[in-house]
Amino acid sequence: MAAAAGAELQGKYQKLAQEYSKLRAQNQVLKKGVVDEQANSASLKEQLKMKDQSLRKLQQEMDSLTFRNQQLAKRVELLQDELALSEARGKKNKKSGDSSCQLSQEQKSVFDEDLQKKIEENERLHIQFFEADEQHKRLEAELKNRLEVLETDAAQHQAVVDSLTRKYIDTIEKLQNDKTNLEIKSQTLEREAKECRFQAEECQQQLKSLHADLGRRLDDSLCIINEKVPFNDTRCSQYNALNVPLHNRRCQLKLRDIAGQALAFVQDLVTALLNFHTYMEQRVQIFPIDSATDTISPLNQKFSQYLHENASYVRPLEEGMLHLFESITEDTVTVLETTVKLKVFSEHLTFYTCFLRKILPYQLKSLEEECESSLCTAALRARNLELHSDMKKITAVFEKLHVYISLIVLPSIKPEGLLRTNYSSVFTHIAAGLHGFHNVMKEISKHYSQKAALEHELPTATQKLITTNDCILSSVVALTNGAGKIASFFSNNLDHFTASLSYGPKGGTEFISPLSAECMLQYKKKAVAYMKSLKKPYSDSVPYEEALANRRVLLSSTESREGLAQQVQQSLEKIAKLEQEKEHWMLEAQLAKIKLEKENQKLKSSLSGQLIEPMPENSVLLNAAEREKEVSIKTSREPVKKMSLIGMLTMTTDSKEAPEAKSREDLIKNHYMARIVELTSLLQLADSKSVHFHAECRALAKRLSLAEKSKESLVEEMKLASQSISRLQASEMLAKQFDGHTPWDSCGWKNIKPSGNSRKNKSR
């Protein structure tokens, strides 16, 4: 580790050194260029100085020539004045001699020649001065421009030199800091390397001890396996396929989510297909001939009849996808071998493909009939021909999808029909077919929109035709959108389909057959149930014999929970009713007592002390009589049916007949009281017997229902056991080459070991 860190540090340092040397070489080149430019600028400045000096010299010469020219001009003027004076004197002195005239003529000619020479020289000097001035100005402008360019270049080069200098300084400081950091890091890495060497030595010692321990444990395990495990089912692919693979809950949830999305897309697609076929049927009925005004052709009649049956072919697609979605749960193992519901969807797709093949000739003939109609223009005929080709393509696309979906169904019904290595290519072809379906629908949408626009421009286009065309266009657009969504959805999940639908048991590569996959799912359910039973907390156990006795008592006892609850409810109702009657009779007694007191007061006042006051028994009898009278009055208002017969006796005020009446009243009272007690006991006995018989009947009915349920469960288990036996016999026939082994160990039972409690229950 330290060596690797040192090598990395050395390589980084070398790289930085190479960059530094490269930048240094570039700095030297830039310095040389700046020096050259500075020398060039100095030489140009010298040339500029020399040109200024020559310019000043020429300026001085120009000034001197100008002064000389002015002198000559003054002299010429003077000579001209003298000439004028001489001519004037010559006129006055014409008589002077010829010698003076000749002399003046010679002087004039000399002066003229001298003046002509001076004029020519002055003109030549003017020309030279003008040319020198122009050349000086041009050269000065060029030198100024060049000087500005050179100063600009010098400033730029100086800025580059300054930036490079700063950059080199920063780089040098950074490299020095990196160097110090790397030195510190190298020191720490060396310390860590020493510690790692010490730890590696310790780990080596631990590895040796662990290797020795694991070797000893491996020998012990091999001895135990050789002695206790006579059969290893993972060596045979047929037997290994029956083992339960590892449960991938995340994968199952992802597949269920994908199946839910696919179900939603298929539902949208089914709705769009239903609308498309239905509106096509309406269109056939109204164009090119409206069935409401005239008879349409037999071809269109047959085509309309077939289109009317579209729901029976399209709806099952949604149902098949719904069954497939419901079969994918969190607890199952979803692979192509176990997805048996995919076959149902494939069959429904087959029926719909046959339906498309059946209506295709009629659809094509209907388009040809529209082309032959007198209302069809050339542009409309071209659109019909394009739709003619599109309808063939859409049928071909569905046939292609049906073929590939039938291929992915094969692993669940006939595994040798599709190799596992071809799964990815089949899924890829399905994705390509869905994209082709989307492209064809886009073409149909474009061509049909053009066709509808042309038909709307026809003079015979009705509102019904325009509305139907708009509906067909909306259904075609919905079909296009649905096809695009399902194509992109399948392409996005293509890798997941390929990876998640092809795994198998541990140690193997695949499920041998759908039968082994089905057996594996049954073993998985049993293993899950067993694990759940192990996770349940154990309650306070009861001895087995006592539990059986309690169960028999519970099933056959008349004091079952429901019976006792009913008895308690009935008792509460009776108690409430008796409480109501008690309150009623207490009120009646109070009213009778008040009336009795009033009657006694009336009797006392009327008899004025002649009558003997009644005895207490008579008062009781009168109280009872009054009470019975009140009861008879209130029977119309209150539902009271129990009445005492004692109150029916009449009483006289004769004092002589009082003892006889008292004795007769006592006899009657005792008789009826005894009768009431007897009837009450008989009623209670009858109630108890009825409750007892009712509870017995409920217990017998409950036992009968439990017996029926146990009988049904036993019959179901017997059927499952017979099916498992037949399947295992079939798998045993497939594995005849392993006659030396017993096939019953490969069913997964050895992976589920019963606990001690289950053994006890089995023995019981």
Side-chain angles (χ1 to χ4, degrees):
M1 180 178 179
E8 182 181 359
L9 180 63
Q10 187 68 23
K12 186 175 181 181
Y13 186 75
Q14 289 178 358
K15 187 176 180 181
L16 291 173
Q18 290 176 0
E19 291 180 357
Y20 177 72
S21 61
K22 189 184 294 183
L23 293 172
R24 190 171 180 181
Q26 292 178 359
N27 189 14
Q28 295 293 334
V29 173
L30 290 172
K31 282 183 178 180
K32 186 177 179 182
V34 170
V35 171
D36 293 339
E37 291 295 331
Q38 289 177 352
N40 194 5
S41 178
S43 64
L44 289 173
K45 286 180 180 179
E46 291 294 331
Q47 290 179 6
L48 183 60
K49 288 180 181 180
M50 292 174 65
K51 294 295 181 182
D52 288 336
Q53 290 176 1
S54 61
L55 179 62
R56 284 194 294 271
K57 186 177 180 181
L58 291 173
Q59 187 71 29
Q60 290 175 0
E61 291 179 357
M62 183 66 184
D63 293 338
S64 63
L65 290 173
T66 303
F67 179 72
R68 181 66 176 165
N69 192 10
Q70 290 175 357
Q71 287 180 351
L72 291 174
K74 289 178 180 180
R75 187 176 179 185
V76 169
E77 290 177 358
L78 182 61
L79 290 174
Q80 287 178 354
D81 292 338
E82 290 178 356
L83 181 60
L85 291 173
S86 64
E87 286 179 356
R89 285 193 300 268
K91 287 179 181 180
K92 292 178 180 179
N93 297 320
K94 287 182 179 179
K95 293 179 178 182
S96 61
D98 292 332
S99 59
S100 60
C101 290
Q102 291 177 356
L103 180 61
S104 61
Q105 287 293 329
E106 289 177 0
Q107 290 177 353
K108 184 178 179 181
S109 64
V110 171
F111 288 152
D112 288 338
E113 289 177 1
D114 191 10
L115 180 62
Q116 185 67 31
K117 289 180 181 178
K118 294 296 182 181
I119 290 169
E120 290 177 359
E121 185 179 1
N122 192 9
E123 184 179 0
R124 182 175 54 79
L125 289 174
H126 271 291
I127 292 170
Q128 289 180 357
F129 176 74
F130 179 75
E131 290 177 355
D133 189 16
E134 290 294 329
Q135 187 178 3
H136 176 265
K137 289 181 180 179
R138 186 171 59 255
L139 183 61
E140 184 180 4
E142 291 178 358
L143 290 174
K144 285 183 179 179
N145 293 332
R146 189 174 179 186
L147 180 61
E148 291 176 357
V149 172
L150 291 174
E151 287 178 352
T152 305
D153 293 340
Q156 292 178 355
H157 288 302
Q158 188 64 34
V160 171
V161 169
D162 294 339
S163 63
L164 288 174
T165 304
R166 289 194 299 270
K167 186 176 179 181
Y168 295 151
I169 293 171
D170 295 338
T171 305
I172 290 168
E173 292 177 355
K174 185 178 179 181
L175 289 173
Q176 288 177 353
N177 294 329
D178 291 342
K179 182 179 179 181
T180 54
N181 293 330
L182 291 172
E183 287 177 354
I184 295 169
K185 189 175 180 180
S186 64
Q187 292 175 2
T188 56
L189 288 173
E190 286 177 359
R191 288 196 299 270
E192 290 178 359
K194 290 179 181 179
E195 294 176 359
C196 290
R197 281 196 295 271
F198 292 141
Q199 291 179 1
E201 291 176 358
E202 293 178 358
C203 292
Q204 191 69 25
Q205 294 176 359
Q206 292 179 2
L207 181 63
K208 289 180 180 178
S209 61
L210 288 174
H211 185 70
D213 186 17
L214 290 175
R216 184 173 63 256
R217 292 173 65 181
L218 177 62
D219 295 336
D220 296 339
S221 300
L222 289 175
C223 292
I224 292 171
I225 290 171
N226 292 328
E227 292 176 0
K228 303 296 183 181
V229 182
F231 177 66
N232 185 10
D233 57 359
T234 58
R235 295 178 180 176
C236 178
S237 59
Q238 286 88 354
Y239 296 153
N240 189 31
L242 299 174
N243 289 328
V244 179
L246 296 176
H247 183 64
N248 192 346
R249 182 173 178 272
R250 183 180 299 173
C251 178
Q252 286 297 123
L253 293 176
K254 177 69 174 176
L255 283 174
R256 183 167 177 80
D257 182 40
I258 290 173
Q261 296 178 22
L263 175 62
F265 292 143
V266 170
Q267 287 174 348
D268 296 340
L269 199 65
V270 165
T271 304
L273 285 172
L274 288 172
N275 294 334
F276 177 69
H277 291 311
T278 304
Y279 293 137
M280 284 298 295
E281 178 189 358
Q282 294 179 7
R283 176 185 165 79
V284 169
Q285 294 288 337
I286 62 175
F287 190 81
I289 299 173
D290 193 351
S291 60
T293 58
D294 199 356
T295 304
I296 62 176
S297 64
L299 175 69
N300 284 335
Q301 290 179 1
K302 196 69 174 178
F303 185 34
S304 175
Q305 179 182 355
Y306 285 153
L307 287 174
H308 190 70
E309 302 171 356
N310 69 88
S312 60
Y313 295 97
V314 179
R315 293 271 183 206
L317 294 174
E318 180 180 355
E319 296 175 1
M321 184 55 68
L322 180 61
H323 292 321
L324 178 61
F325 170 71
E326 291 175 350
S327 67
I328 300 174
T329 61
E330 182 182 349
D331 299 330
T332 58
V333 178
T334 304
V335 291
L336 289 180
E337 288 83 0
T338 59
T339 314
V340 294
K341 295 297 182 180
L342 190 60
K343 180 182 177 183
V344 180
F345 179 76
S346 175
E347 291 175 352
H348 294 327
L349 184 61
T350 303
F351 295 150
Y352 181 68
T353 307
C354 294
F355 171 71
L356 290 179
R357 282 200 296 264
K358 181 171 67 174
I359 66 172
L360 179 62
Y362 296 95
Q363 199 163 18
L364 300 180
K365 289 293 183 181
S366 178
L367 289 172
E368 293 174 0
E369 185 176 341
E370 288 184 13
C371 293
E372 294 173 358
S373 176
S374 60
L375 301 175
C376 186
T377 61
L380 190 58
R381 187 176 293 106
R383 300 290 85 78
N384 286 333
L385 292 177
E386 290 174 350
L387 286 174
H388 189 281
S389 175
D390 293 337
M391 292 303 169
K392 292 181 181 179
K393 292 179 182 178
I394 196 69
T395 305
V397 164
F398 269 98
E399 289 179 351
K400 182 179 179 181
L401 289 174
H402 160 249
V403 169
Y404 288 115
I405 291 176
S406 301
L407 285 177
I408 64 172
V409 173
L410 287 177
S412 61
I413 55 175
K414 190 178 180 182
E416 63 273 8
L418 181 64
L419 298 177
R420 181 175 292 269
T421 54
N422 296 328
Y423 287 179
S424 60
S425 62
V426 173
F427 284 121
T428 305
H429 284 298
I430 291 176
L434 291 173
H435 283 290
F437 176 43
H438 182 220
N439 295 331
V440 172
M441 288 310 303
K442 286 196 292 186
E443 292 293 327
I444 291 177
S445 177
K446 182 178 72 174
H447 296 157
Y448 203 89
S449 62
Q450 296 173 357
K451 172 183 170 67
L454 292 173
E455 288 180 351
H456 293 175
E457 296 174 357
L458 293 176
T460 58
T462 61
Q463 185 62 35
K464 189 186 296 185
L465 177 62
I466 294 172
T467 305
T468 305
N469 283 339
D470 293 339
C471 294
I472 292 174
L473 275 176
S474 64
S475 63
V476 169
V477 170
L479 267 176
T480 306
N481 295 333
K485 290 178 182 178
I486 198 169
S488 60
F489 158 76
F490 198 88
S491 298
N492 294 334
N493 295 287
L494 186 60
D495 296 335
H496 186 74
F497 288 148
T498 306
S500 61
L501 294 178
S502 60
Y503 73 95
K506 185 177 180 181
T509 57
E510 60 181 356
F511 294 103
I512 299 303
S513 64
L515 183 61
S516 62
E518 186 178 356
C519 292
M520 179 274 298
L521 292 177
Q522 293 181 2
Y523 300 149
K524 183 178 184 298
K525 292 178 182 178
K526 292 181 180 179
V528 169
Y530 178 70
M531 296 300 293
K532 287 182 179 179
S533 65
L534 291 179
K535 289 182 179 180
K536 290 181 180 178
Y538 290 103
S539 59
D540 296 336
S541 61
V542 180
Y544 184 67
E545 292 79 6
E546 185 178 352
L548 285 178
N550 291 338
R551 183 175 182 275
R552 294 192 188 96
V553 170
L554 181 64
L555 293 176
S556 61
S557 175
T558 58
E559 300 296 331
S560 63
R561 184 175 180 179
E562 296 178 357
L564 290 174
Q566 288 185 356
Q567 290 180 15
V568 169
Q569 187 67 24
Q570 292 175 1
S571 300
L572 291 174
E573 291 176 357
K574 288 181 179 179
I575 289 170
K577 190 180 292 184
L578 290 173
E579 289 290 337
Q580 292 177 359
E581 291 181 358
K582 178 182 176 182
E583 292 177 358
H584 169 72
W585 288 116
M586 287 178 68
L587 292 173
E588 291 290 335
Q590 291 177 0
L591 291 172
K593 187 176 181 180
I594 293 169
K595 289 181 179 180
L596 180 60
E597 290 176 354
K598 290 180 180 180
E599 290 295 332
N600 286 333
Q601 291 176 1
K602 288 180 182 180
L603 287 172
K604 285 180 182 180
S605 63
S606 63
L607 295 176
S608 64
Q610 294 180 1
L611 292 176
I612 301 172
E613 189 175 359
M615 296 178 68
E617 291 81 2
N618 294 336
S619 64
V620 172
L621 291 174
L622 288 172
N623 189 5
E626 291 293 331
R627 187 172 59 196
E628 290 298 325
K629 287 179 182 179
E630 291 291 329
V631 169
S632 63
I633 292 170
K634 293 182 178 180
T635 50
S636 61
R637 300 194 306 268
E638 299 177 357
V640 180
K641 295 182 179 180
K642 294 184 178 181
M643 296 176 61
S644 178
L645 297 176
I646 299 172
M648 292 183 180
L649 297 174
T650 59
M651 177 182 175
T652 62
T653 59
D654 192 0
S655 60
K656 296 180 180 180
E657 294 179 356
E660 185 179 357
K662 180 182 178 181
S663 62
R664 186 171 60 251
E665 184 72 24
D666 291 338
L667 288 174
I668 293 171
K669 180 181 178 180
N670 293 332
H671 170 71
Y672 280 107
M673 289 297 293
R675 183 63 177 166
I676 287 169
V677 170
E678 183 181 359
L679 290 174
T680 303
S681 62
L682 289 174
L683 180 61
Q684 290 178 354
L685 181 61
D687 287 341
S688 62
K689 285 184 178 180
S690 63
V691 170
H692 173 73
F693 289 145
H694 180 67
E696 286 288 341
C697 292
R698 287 180 62 84
L700 289 173
K702 189 174 181 180
R703 291 178 65 184
L704 182 61
S705 63
L706 290 173
E708 290 291 337
K709 289 181 180 178
S710 62
K711 180 182 176 182
E712 291 176 0
S713 63
L714 289 172
V715 169
E716 198 66 31
E717 288 180 0
M718 187 176 68
K719 289 181 180 179
L720 292 174
S722 61
Q723 291 176 2
S724 299
I725 290 170
S726 61
R727 290 170 182 168
L728 292 172
Q729 287 177 355
S731 62
E732 187 179 4
M733 293 295 290
L734 291 173
K736 285 184 179 180
Q737 62 270 26
F738 300 99
D739 291 331
H741 305 292
T742 171
W744 300 100
D745 294 336
S746 65
C747 300
W749 294 106
K750 70 184 185 63
N751 295 328
I752 304 174
K753 297 182 179 179
S755 63
N757 294 331
S758 62
R759 292 195 190 97
K760 291 179 181 179
N761 294 335
K762 186 176 180 181
S763 62
R764 288 168 185 169

